[in-house]
Amino acid sequence: KENTIQGYVNASVLGGGTANSEFEVFTGCAMGFLPDSYYAYEQALTGPIDTMVSHLKENGYTTYSMHPEKPTNWRRNVVYQYLGFDKRLWKEDFDGAQIIHSGVSDAETFRKVEELYEGRAEGEKMFIFDLTMQNHGYYFKTNVDRTVEAVNADCEEADVYLSLIYETDRAFGELIDYFSAQDEKVIICMFGDHQPKFESESFYEEI
């Protein structure tokens, strides 16, 4: 409450298309100016461009991207270089990590952020982008315990999604506690890349 700014983010996509949310955040370019079913990562980016990442790099930051999935998803293995990331971590960098629902747990990626921070060179300024996978759809087959239930809709998928968010919330709290104990000033920014897509059409009608 003392040092937090919070609010709502309107994501352009539902149930997928993470790359478009990334494109908007890194470039400041709205997908509203591009055609429907258009993916800038696949159709527009053919070389290095000015981004938030490249500007931080020009100002002396080491820039890291972290995504515990295949680097070829949305051509990230190529696009992340265009965006200005110096170092890129993929699924193979999380060998043996805890798996929850759709992938490596958020807690494991947060611990990797801490590990990179602790291994930094003296005086090194860092920007780390952590694109997580734990809570990605679909939500009807999962190994997640139902710890949270929706109170205004009868939807098992919603219960699973909310239970996953609860796990993330706990892990995020631990990440904040870790950096609160450090002497350096650190900005932690979290945003959602897209809304969850539930197969139950009645859910959307109910809410």
Side-chain angles (χ1 to χ4, degrees):
K1 292 180 179 179
E2 295 175 3
N3 60 356
T4 301
I5 300 170
Q6 57 187 330
Y8 293 96
V9 173
N10 290 321
S12 298
V13 290
L14 172 68
T18 300
N20 282 348
S21 295
E22 291 179 51
F23 176 74
E24 289 185 317
V25 168
F26 291 140
T27 67
C29 298
M31 292 303 301
F33 296 110
L34 296 169
D36 289 341
S37 302
Y38 191 90
Y39 295 94
Y41 275 19
E42 294 189 332
Q43 295 160 274
L45 299 186
T46 58
I49 60 171
D50 286 335
T51 66
M52 176 178 68
V53 185
S54 66
H55 284 301
L56 285 167
K57 185 175 178 178
E58 289 167 5
N59 283 278
Y61 283 78
T62 308
T63 55
Y64 296 81
S65 68
M66 182 187 307
H67 181 46
E69 273 301 321
K70 295 186 297 184
T72 52
N73 287 355
W74 298 116
R75 292 180 66 234
R76 288 188 178 99
N77 55 325
V78 176
V79 170
Y80 278 6
Q81 296 180 59
Y82 295 160
L83 297 178
F85 284 109
D86 294 311
K87 302 180 181 181
R88 297 165 293 279
L89 283 71
W90 308 106
K91 192 170 185 175
E92 58 265 27
D93 296 295
F94 291 85
D95 189 40
Q98 176 194 32
I99 302 297
I100 295 180
H101 186 60
S102 286
V104 172
S105 72
D106 287 1
E108 292 274 15
T109 71
F110 297 162
R111 281 192 283 270
K112 184 71 76 173
V113 169
E114 296 169 9
E115 180 183 312
L116 291 173
Y117 176 80
E118 290 177 358
R120 72 196 185 285
E122 185 176 352
E124 180 182 2
K125 298 188 292 184
M126 308 176 73
F127 170 70
I128 304 172
F129 174 64
D130 177 14
L131 174 61
T132 64
M133 275 298 293
Q134 171 190 298
N135 300 343
H136 203 283
Y138 294 93
Y139 303 101
F140 47 82
K141 290 184 179 179
T142 183
N143 61 349
V144 177
D145 293 332
R146 313 301 197 270
T147 53
V148 181
E149 294 183 358
V151 297
N152 60 341
D154 182 16
C155 179
E156 185 176 346
E157 291 175 274
D159 296 343
V160 169
Y161 176 73
L162 293 170
S163 298
L164 287 165
I165 292 296
Y166 175 66
E167 291 300 319
T168 298
D169 190 55
R170 291 200 302 178
F172 193 58
E174 292 175 2
L175 180 71
I176 291 172
D177 287 344
Y178 172 83
F179 280 109
S180 295
Q182 308 304 315
D183 292 331
E184 284 190 75
K185 292 182 178 180
V186 174
I187 295 172
I188 302 175
C189 175
M190 174 185 271
F191 64 92
D193 54 348
H194 55 72
Q195 307 292 342
K197 177 69 170 68
F198 299 147
E199 296 300 300
S200 172
E201 294 297 333
S202 63
F203 171 80
Y204 297 100
E205 295 173 6
E206 284 187 57
I207 64 169

